[in-house]
Amino acid sequence: MASTKRKAETFSKSSANSSIKKARTNNERLRNNKVLPVALETETDSDPIVESETTEHSGDDDGISWPSDDESAVAEDIITNRRGEDRKDQKSKDSVSQFQRQLPGPLALENGAENGSSSRETHAKQKVLTQERKAAKPNADTIARSKKLWERLRIKSQVPLEERKLLVAELFDIITGRVKDFVFKHDSVRIIQTALRYANLEQRMRIAKELQGEYRALSESKYAKFLVGKLLGLGDREIRDMVVPEFYGQVQRMIRHPEASWILDDIYRGAATTKQKAILLREWYGAEFAIFKADAHNTASADLKDILAKNREKRTPIMRSLHHLINQLIQKKTTGFTILHDAMLQYYLNVAPASEEANDFMELLKGDEEGDLLKNLAFTGSGARLVCLCLAYGNAKDRKHILKAYKGTFQALASDKYGHQVLLTAYDVIDDTVLVAKSIFAELFSKEISVEEQHGILLRYATDLNARTSILYPFTTKAKTVLSRGDLEMLKEIHHIRTTTSKKDPKVRTSELVQALSVPLLSFIAANAQILVRNSFGCFLISEVLLGAAGDSQEAQKAVACLTTKDGEVQAALSNAAAGRMLKTLVQGGHFNAETREIDHVDSLKPFADLLFSKIEGNLVRWATGANSFVIVGLLEAPTFSKRRELVALLSKHCQELQQAADEGRSLGIAKDKKSSRAKQSAMKGCGRNRGAELLLQKIK
């Protein structure tokens, strides 16, 4: 045993010495030849493996003795030294390259000539390969030539007319008979669009006929779909009747397609006729309506109520198919399609109120957490009507949820042709007027900004055809002066529904809304009367708000009365008919009631007649003989005017001027002279006598 131990110790010493020598040899070799560490590992691994006599064999090591700790440490030192040498070499290379960059031009080019030339050669080879690959494609020469023509034609202002005609003619010579080869490629389809832009009717028809039968495939292409829209946007009936029928029978599949769905909706919204729209919408009701179109040319109707009345047994499959397709599009977040909004309205109109179907549909609308569905609905005619019906039939919780979905979009709704109807319905059916004031009015008036900015927003509302309805509806007593025919029809339907779904008295609800609107609007009139009086919408806002506002309106009345003392543009504006009607209405203290044939007086306007008289007393004759002489007539007829005798006495002193105005016809407030234009003189002649001056003469006698 002792001899065995001595042999082992002797062997370990000799192996350690050999390892140290071998490590030194390897280190020198690495420094001289820069051998990679992999070589070192290979050389180390190639050392003989010593099998110890005393090692017990097991399944893990199989009697093999691994390198000792000294040998491993030596190997690690070698690898560390190698990494240090690599870092030094890299630093030296970086310093050399930096030095080369700092050399003068010729020397730098000489040092980098090899790398630069190889890079240029590589790029040149790649360019040649790209050109060869393009040249190998079909119609490569024609596409290349047409691209050059397109580059010249696409900027209209840079090409003279005569040259453009020649280029278009050459372009059509190239593409005629090959249109289908161009339209399905992202770069060449633009050439066809440019050709359509400058083509005449005959050339457009030539392209349309070549593409006949391919329009559905074109609409599904990421780039070619714009060509279909370009063709339909030109407004040619023959092309429209050629393109639209190719989508029949494919509506349910195409409305789900990410590209074709937008083209289908564009066709439905803008290009298709009423009959074509009906055919496209009927396909939402099931496969039967997509396959059988026997009545498509004459009696096709998309009114689901009529279809169900004729086919009662088909109600279940039709409603199931319609609901399924609607739900699919809502889940895909593609809710901006007009055809979808029409389909949703047809579904809701044919379910019973408060039924399970109606409740499920309401939950479907509320299930869109982002609120994009309700926002998109409000900006189309059928979608806005659907939202209004949901507000009318819904409970308090449903109405609150719908209002919450429109947070941040109320200003856009107020100015939209259809969106403002949603606001009017909210005014008429929501019993919680505090909620309406906090959610709608606070955003419309932007109460968080400065007063000047608020007035700027209100001025925009006052002069907008739709937005003014959103702020004046609670004030006005003559709805036809504010509301369009579509608004009146919609509100008539809503008022009939709210008798069973709303608890609050409509008059109480309206008075509470007026209370919330009065303060900002009266402040707005007091500060901006000079601007408002310059157009008819502004004059109407002044009269309606002052007649219907709740609270103190004295400052606003003073601002309006002081307009009569201004000169320049304000004085010219007061001679307009709209300003005259406004002042007469305020002087009389209310609107004329056609049924009772009397004035509906407002208590808050009783002081206005005296206030106005104090401002115009010095220019009374000019007012009595001018364009708005009926304002003075209104003063004489106003029961609240306390200075009637003084007015009559002043007018009596100027009977001659009144008679002259009545005889000569100065209703425009402008005397005839030779400098007046012929059109102005003919207009004055057509206006006849000054009827206001005639009435004043009769009243003071």
Short mmCIF file of all heavy atoms in Angstrom, two decimals, residues 564-609:
data_model
loop_
_atom_site.label_atom_id
_atom_site.label_comp_id
_atom_site.label_asym_id
_atom_site.label_seq_id
_atom_site.Cartn_x
_atom_site.Cartn_y
_atom_site.Cartn_z
N THR A 564 -78.08 100.13 -30.46
CA THR A 564 -78.68 101.20 -31.26
C THR A 564 -77.85 102.48 -31.22
O THR A 564 -78.06 103.37 -32.04
CB THR A 564 -80.10 101.49 -30.76
OG1 THR A 564 -80.05 101.86 -29.37
CG2 THR A 564 -80.98 100.27 -30.92
N THR A 565 -76.94 102.60 -30.30
CA THR A 565 -76.09 103.80 -30.20
C THR A 565 -74.76 103.61 -30.91
O THR A 565 -73.97 104.56 -30.96
CB THR A 565 -75.83 104.13 -28.72
OG1 THR A 565 -75.11 103.05 -28.10
CG2 THR A 565 -77.14 104.35 -27.98
N LYS A 566 -74.50 102.43 -31.46
CA LYS A 566 -73.23 102.17 -32.12
C LYS A 566 -73.27 102.66 -33.57
O LYS A 566 -74.33 102.84 -34.16
CB LYS A 566 -72.91 100.67 -32.09
CG LYS A 566 -72.90 100.06 -30.70
CD LYS A 566 -71.80 100.62 -29.83
CE LYS A 566 -71.79 99.94 -28.46
NZ LYS A 566 -70.71 100.48 -27.60
N ASP A 567 -72.09 102.87 -34.13
CA ASP A 567 -71.97 103.28 -35.52
C ASP A 567 -71.26 102.19 -36.32
O ASP A 567 -70.85 101.17 -35.78
CB ASP A 567 -71.18 104.60 -35.61
CG ASP A 567 -71.90 105.75 -34.93
OD1 ASP A 567 -73.15 105.74 -34.96
OD2 ASP A 567 -71.22 106.63 -34.36
N GLY A 568 -71.11 102.46 -37.60
CA GLY A 568 -70.35 101.55 -38.45
C GLY A 568 -71.09 100.27 -38.76
O GLY A 568 -72.26 100.26 -39.13
N GLU A 569 -70.37 99.13 -38.60
CA GLU A 569 -70.92 97.83 -38.98
C GLU A 569 -72.13 97.46 -38.13
O GLU A 569 -73.06 96.82 -38.63
CB GLU A 569 -69.84 96.76 -38.84
CG GLU A 569 -68.68 96.92 -39.81
CD GLU A 569 -67.66 95.81 -39.68
OE1 GLU A 569 -67.90 94.91 -38.85
OE2 GLU A 569 -66.64 95.85 -40.37
N VAL A 570 -72.12 97.82 -36.87
CA VAL A 570 -73.26 97.48 -36.00
C VAL A 570 -74.51 98.20 -36.46
O VAL A 570 -75.60 97.61 -36.52
CB VAL A 570 -72.93 97.83 -34.54
CG1 VAL A 570 -74.13 97.55 -33.65
CG2 VAL A 570 -71.71 97.05 -34.06
N GLN A 571 -74.39 99.47 -36.80
CA GLN A 571 -75.55 100.23 -37.26
C GLN A 571 -76.08 99.67 -38.58
O GLN A 571 -77.30 99.60 -38.80
CB GLN A 571 -75.17 101.71 -37.44
CG GLN A 571 -76.36 102.64 -37.59
CD GLN A 571 -77.29 102.60 -36.40
OE1 GLN A 571 -78.47 102.29 -36.55
NE2 GLN A 571 -76.76 102.89 -35.21
N ALA A 572 -75.16 99.26 -39.46
CA ALA A 572 -75.59 98.64 -40.72
C ALA A 572 -76.27 97.30 -40.47
O ALA A 572 -77.25 96.94 -41.15
CB ALA A 572 -74.39 98.45 -41.64
N ALA A 573 -75.78 96.56 -39.47
CA ALA A 573 -76.38 95.27 -39.15
C ALA A 573 -77.80 95.43 -38.61
O ALA A 573 -78.68 94.60 -38.85
CB ALA A 573 -75.51 94.51 -38.16
N LEU A 574 -78.04 96.51 -37.86
CA LEU A 574 -79.37 96.73 -37.28
C LEU A 574 -80.42 97.05 -38.33
O LEU A 574 -81.62 96.97 -38.05
CB LEU A 574 -79.31 97.87 -36.25
CG LEU A 574 -78.60 97.54 -34.94
CD1 LEU A 574 -78.51 98.78 -34.07
CD2 LEU A 574 -79.32 96.42 -34.20
N SER A 575 -80.00 97.44 -39.53
CA SER A 575 -80.96 97.71 -40.60
C SER A 575 -81.42 96.45 -41.31
O SER A 575 -82.30 96.51 -42.17
CB SER A 575 -80.36 98.69 -41.61
OG SER A 575 -79.22 98.10 -42.24
N ASN A 576 -80.84 95.30 -40.97
CA ASN A 576 -81.26 94.04 -41.58
C ASN A 576 -82.60 93.59 -41.02
O ASN A 576 -82.99 93.93 -39.91
CB ASN A 576 -80.21 92.95 -41.34
CG ASN A 576 -78.92 93.26 -42.06
OD1 ASN A 576 -78.91 93.87 -43.12
ND2 ASN A 576 -77.80 92.82 -41.47
N ALA A 577 -83.27 92.75 -41.80
CA ALA A 577 -84.60 92.28 -41.39
C ALA A 577 -84.52 91.42 -40.14
O ALA A 577 -85.41 91.47 -39.28
CB ALA A 577 -85.24 91.50 -42.53
N ALA A 578 -83.45 90.60 -40.01
CA ALA A 578 -83.34 89.73 -38.84
C ALA A 578 -83.21 90.54 -37.57
O ALA A 578 -83.83 90.22 -36.54
CB ALA A 578 -82.14 88.80 -39.01
N ALA A 579 -82.40 91.60 -37.60
CA ALA A 579 -82.26 92.46 -36.42
C ALA A 579 -83.56 93.17 -36.11
O ALA A 579 -83.92 93.36 -34.93
CB ALA A 579 -81.14 93.47 -36.65
N GLY A 580 -84.30 93.59 -37.15
CA GLY A 580 -85.59 94.24 -36.92
C GLY A 580 -86.59 93.32 -36.25
O GLY A 580 -87.32 93.73 -35.33
N ARG A 581 -86.65 92.06 -36.70
CA ARG A 581 -87.56 91.09 -36.06
C ARG A 581 -87.17 90.85 -34.61
O ARG A 581 -88.03 90.71 -33.74
CB ARG A 581 -87.54 89.77 -36.84
CG ARG A 581 -88.25 89.83 -38.18
CD ARG A 581 -88.46 88.43 -38.74
NE ARG A 581 -87.20 87.75 -38.99
CZ ARG A 581 -86.54 87.79 -40.14
NH1 ARG A 581 -87.03 88.51 -41.16
NH2 ARG A 581 -85.41 87.14 -40.31
N MET A 582 -85.86 90.77 -34.36
CA MET A 582 -85.39 90.56 -32.99
C MET A 582 -85.82 91.70 -32.08
O MET A 582 -86.40 91.48 -31.00
CB MET A 582 -83.86 90.43 -32.98
CG MET A 582 -83.24 90.36 -31.61
SD MET A 582 -81.45 90.64 -31.63
CE MET A 582 -81.39 92.40 -31.98
N LEU A 583 -85.59 92.95 -32.50
CA LEU A 583 -85.93 94.10 -31.66
C LEU A 583 -87.44 94.23 -31.47
O LEU A 583 -87.92 94.55 -30.37
CB LEU A 583 -85.36 95.38 -32.28
CG LEU A 583 -83.83 95.50 -32.26
CD1 LEU A 583 -83.38 96.74 -33.01
CD2 LEU A 583 -83.30 95.53 -30.83
N LYS A 584 -88.20 93.96 -32.52
CA LYS A 584 -89.65 94.06 -32.39
C LYS A 584 -90.18 93.01 -31.42
O LYS A 584 -91.07 93.29 -30.59
CB LYS A 584 -90.31 93.89 -33.76
CG LYS A 584 -91.83 94.04 -33.72
CD LYS A 584 -92.46 93.77 -35.07
CE LYS A 584 -93.98 93.85 -34.96
NZ LYS A 584 -94.64 93.54 -36.24
N THR A 585 -89.65 91.79 -31.49
CA THR A 585 -90.09 90.73 -30.58
C THR A 585 -89.76 91.08 -29.14
O THR A 585 -90.59 90.88 -28.23
CB THR A 585 -89.42 89.40 -30.96
OG1 THR A 585 -89.76 89.07 -32.31
CG2 THR A 585 -89.87 88.28 -30.04
N LEU A 586 -88.57 91.65 -28.91
CA LEU A 586 -88.19 92.02 -27.55
C LEU A 586 -89.01 93.20 -27.04
O LEU A 586 -89.36 93.26 -25.85
CB LEU A 586 -86.70 92.35 -27.51
CG LEU A 586 -85.73 91.20 -27.85
CD1 LEU A 586 -84.29 91.69 -27.81
CD2 LEU A 586 -85.92 90.02 -26.90
N VAL A 587 -89.32 94.13 -27.91
CA VAL A 587 -90.13 95.28 -27.51
C VAL A 587 -91.54 94.86 -27.14
O VAL A 587 -92.13 95.32 -26.14
CB VAL A 587 -90.14 96.34 -28.64
CG1 VAL A 587 -91.26 97.35 -28.43
CG2 VAL A 587 -88.80 97.05 -28.69
N GLN A 588 -92.11 93.97 -27.94
CA GLN A 588 -93.46 93.49 -27.66
C GLN A 588 -93.51 92.61 -26.42
O GLN A 588 -94.58 92.45 -25.82
CB GLN A 588 -93.99 92.70 -28.87
CG GLN A 588 -94.29 93.58 -30.08
CD GLN A 588 -94.72 92.76 -31.28
OE1 GLN A 588 -94.41 91.57 -31.36
NE2 GLN A 588 -95.42 93.39 -32.21
N GLY A 589 -92.37 92.01 -26.06
CA GLY A 589 -92.31 91.21 -24.85
C GLY A 589 -92.70 89.76 -25.03
O GLY A 589 -92.97 89.06 -24.05
N GLY A 590 -92.70 89.27 -26.25
CA GLY A 590 -93.04 87.88 -26.48
C GLY A 590 -93.35 87.60 -27.94
O GLY A 590 -93.39 88.51 -28.78
N HIS A 591 -93.57 86.31 -28.26
CA HIS A 591 -93.92 85.89 -29.62
C HIS A 591 -95.41 86.06 -29.86
O HIS A 591 -96.23 85.99 -28.94
CB HIS A 591 -93.53 84.42 -29.84
CG HIS A 591 -92.05 84.22 -30.02
ND1 HIS A 591 -91.34 84.74 -31.08
CD2 HIS A 591 -91.15 83.52 -29.27
CE1 HIS A 591 -90.07 84.39 -30.98
NE2 HIS A 591 -89.94 83.65 -29.88
N PHE A 592 -95.74 86.23 -31.12
CA PHE A 592 -97.15 86.30 -31.51
C PHE A 592 -97.71 84.89 -31.61
O PHE A 592 -97.14 84.01 -32.27
CB PHE A 592 -97.29 87.01 -32.86
CG PHE A 592 -98.69 87.07 -33.38
CD1 PHE A 592 -99.60 87.96 -32.82
CD2 PHE A 592 -99.12 86.24 -34.40
CE1 PHE A 592 -100.91 88.04 -33.29
CE2 PHE A 592 -100.40 86.31 -34.88
CZ PHE A 592 -101.30 87.21 -34.32
N ASN A 593 -98.83 84.65 -30.93
CA ASN A 593 -99.48 83.35 -30.93
C ASN A 593 -100.54 83.34 -32.03
O ASN A 593 -101.53 84.08 -31.96
CB ASN A 593 -100.12 83.07 -29.57
CG ASN A 593 -100.55 81.63 -29.42
OD1 ASN A 593 -100.94 80.98 -30.39
ND2 ASN A 593 -100.48 81.11 -28.19
N ALA A 594 -100.34 82.49 -33.04
CA ALA A 594 -101.26 82.46 -34.18
C ALA A 594 -102.62 81.92 -33.79
O ALA A 594 -103.63 82.26 -34.43
CB ALA A 594 -100.66 81.62 -35.30
N GLU A 595 -102.70 81.08 -32.79
CA GLU A 595 -103.99 80.51 -32.39
C GLU A 595 -104.84 81.51 -31.63
O GLU A 595 -106.03 81.67 -31.91
CB GLU A 595 -103.75 79.25 -31.55
CG GLU A 595 -103.05 78.13 -32.31
CD GLU A 595 -102.82 76.92 -31.43
OE1 GLU A 595 -103.16 76.99 -30.22
OE2 GLU A 595 -102.30 75.90 -31.94
N THR A 596 -104.24 82.20 -30.68
CA THR A 596 -105.00 83.17 -29.87
C THR A 596 -104.98 84.57 -30.48
O THR A 596 -105.71 85.45 -30.00
CB THR A 596 -104.42 83.24 -28.46
OG1 THR A 596 -103.05 83.67 -28.52
CG2 THR A 596 -104.47 81.87 -27.78
N ARG A 597 -104.13 84.76 -31.50
CA ARG A 597 -103.99 86.07 -32.14
C ARG A 597 -103.54 87.14 -31.16
O ARG A 597 -103.90 88.30 -31.27
CB ARG A 597 -105.31 86.50 -32.81
CG ARG A 597 -105.95 85.46 -33.71
CD ARG A 597 -105.09 85.16 -34.92
NE ARG A 597 -104.93 86.33 -35.77
CZ ARG A 597 -104.18 86.38 -36.88
NH1 ARG A 597 -103.48 85.30 -37.23
NH2 ARG A 597 -104.09 87.48 -37.59
N GLU A 598 -102.72 86.74 -30.19
CA GLU A 598 -102.22 87.68 -29.20
C GLU A 598 -100.74 87.40 -28.94
O GLU A 598 -100.20 86.37 -29.36
CB GLU A 598 -103.00 87.55 -27.88
CG GLU A 598 -104.46 87.96 -27.99
CD GLU A 598 -105.19 87.80 -26.67
OE1 GLU A 598 -104.56 87.24 -25.73
OE2 GLU A 598 -106.36 88.19 -26.58
N ILE A 599 -100.11 88.33 -28.22
CA ILE A 599 -98.70 88.18 -27.85
C ILE A 599 -98.60 87.41 -26.53
O ILE A 599 -99.30 87.73 -25.56
CB ILE A 599 -98.03 89.55 -27.70
CG1 ILE A 599 -98.14 90.34 -29.00
CG2 ILE A 599 -96.57 89.38 -27.30
CD1 ILE A 599 -97.41 89.75 -30.17
N ASP A 600 -97.76 86.40 -26.51
CA ASP A 600 -97.49 85.67 -25.28
C ASP A 600 -96.39 86.42 -24.51
O ASP A 600 -95.19 86.25 -24.77
CB ASP A 600 -97.03 84.23 -25.59
CG ASP A 600 -98.13 83.42 -26.24
OD1 ASP A 600 -99.31 83.73 -26.01
OD2 ASP A 600 -97.80 82.48 -27.00
N HIS A 601 -96.80 87.24 -23.57
CA HIS A 601 -95.88 88.14 -22.89
C HIS A 601 -95.00 87.39 -21.89
O HIS A 601 -95.43 86.43 -21.25
CB HIS A 601 -96.65 89.25 -22.18
CG HIS A 601 -97.40 90.14 -23.11
ND1 HIS A 601 -96.79 91.08 -23.90
CD2 HIS A 601 -98.74 90.24 -23.39
CE1 HIS A 601 -97.68 91.72 -24.63
NE2 HIS A 601 -98.89 91.23 -24.33
N VAL A 602 -93.77 87.90 -21.75
CA VAL A 602 -92.80 87.36 -20.80
C VAL A 602 -92.49 88.45 -19.80
O VAL A 602 -92.14 89.58 -20.17
CB VAL A 602 -91.51 86.91 -21.53
CG1 VAL A 602 -90.48 86.40 -20.53
CG2 VAL A 602 -91.83 85.83 -22.56
N ASP A 603 -92.60 88.13 -18.53
CA ASP A 603 -92.43 89.14 -17.48
C ASP A 603 -91.03 89.71 -17.45
O ASP A 603 -90.84 90.90 -17.15
CB ASP A 603 -92.77 88.53 -16.12
CG ASP A 603 -94.24 88.17 -16.01
OD1 ASP A 603 -95.05 88.75 -16.76
OD2 ASP A 603 -94.58 87.29 -15.18
N SER A 604 -90.02 88.91 -17.76
CA SER A 604 -88.64 89.39 -17.63
C SER A 604 -88.29 90.47 -18.66
O SER A 604 -87.30 91.19 -18.49
CB SER A 604 -87.66 88.21 -17.79
OG SER A 604 -87.81 87.60 -19.06
N LEU A 605 -89.10 90.61 -19.72
CA LEU A 605 -88.80 91.60 -20.76
C LEU A 605 -89.62 92.88 -20.64
O LEU A 605 -89.59 93.71 -21.55
CB LEU A 605 -89.04 90.98 -22.14
CG LEU A 605 -87.96 90.03 -22.66
CD1 LEU A 605 -88.36 89.44 -23.98
CD2 LEU A 605 -86.63 90.74 -22.78
N LYS A 606 -90.33 93.07 -19.57
CA LYS A 606 -91.15 94.28 -19.42
C LYS A 606 -90.32 95.56 -19.48
O LYS A 606 -90.75 96.55 -20.08
CB LYS A 606 -91.92 94.21 -18.11
CG LYS A 606 -93.06 93.20 -18.13
CD LYS A 606 -93.80 93.19 -16.80
CE LYS A 606 -94.95 92.19 -16.82
NZ LYS A 606 -95.70 92.17 -15.54
N PRO A 607 -89.12 95.62 -18.90
CA PRO A 607 -88.37 96.90 -18.94
C PRO A 607 -87.70 97.19 -20.28
O PRO A 607 -87.18 98.30 -20.47
CB PRO A 607 -87.31 96.73 -17.85
CG PRO A 607 -87.61 95.46 -17.15
CD PRO A 607 -88.43 94.64 -18.07
N PHE A 608 -87.67 96.24 -21.22
CA PHE A 608 -86.87 96.43 -22.42
C PHE A 608 -87.40 97.55 -23.30
O PHE A 608 -86.61 98.30 -23.91
CB PHE A 608 -86.79 95.13 -23.23
CG PHE A 608 -85.88 95.23 -24.41
CD1 PHE A 608 -84.51 95.15 -24.24
CD2 PHE A 608 -86.39 95.43 -25.70
CE1 PHE A 608 -83.65 95.26 -25.33
CE2 PHE A 608 -85.54 95.53 -26.79
CZ PHE A 608 -84.17 95.45 -26.60
N ALA A 609 -88.70 97.72 -23.41
CA ALA A 609 -89.26 98.76 -24.28
C ALA A 609 -88.81 100.15 -23.82
O ALA A 609 -88.39 100.98 -24.63
CB ALA A 609 -90.78 98.65 -24.30
#
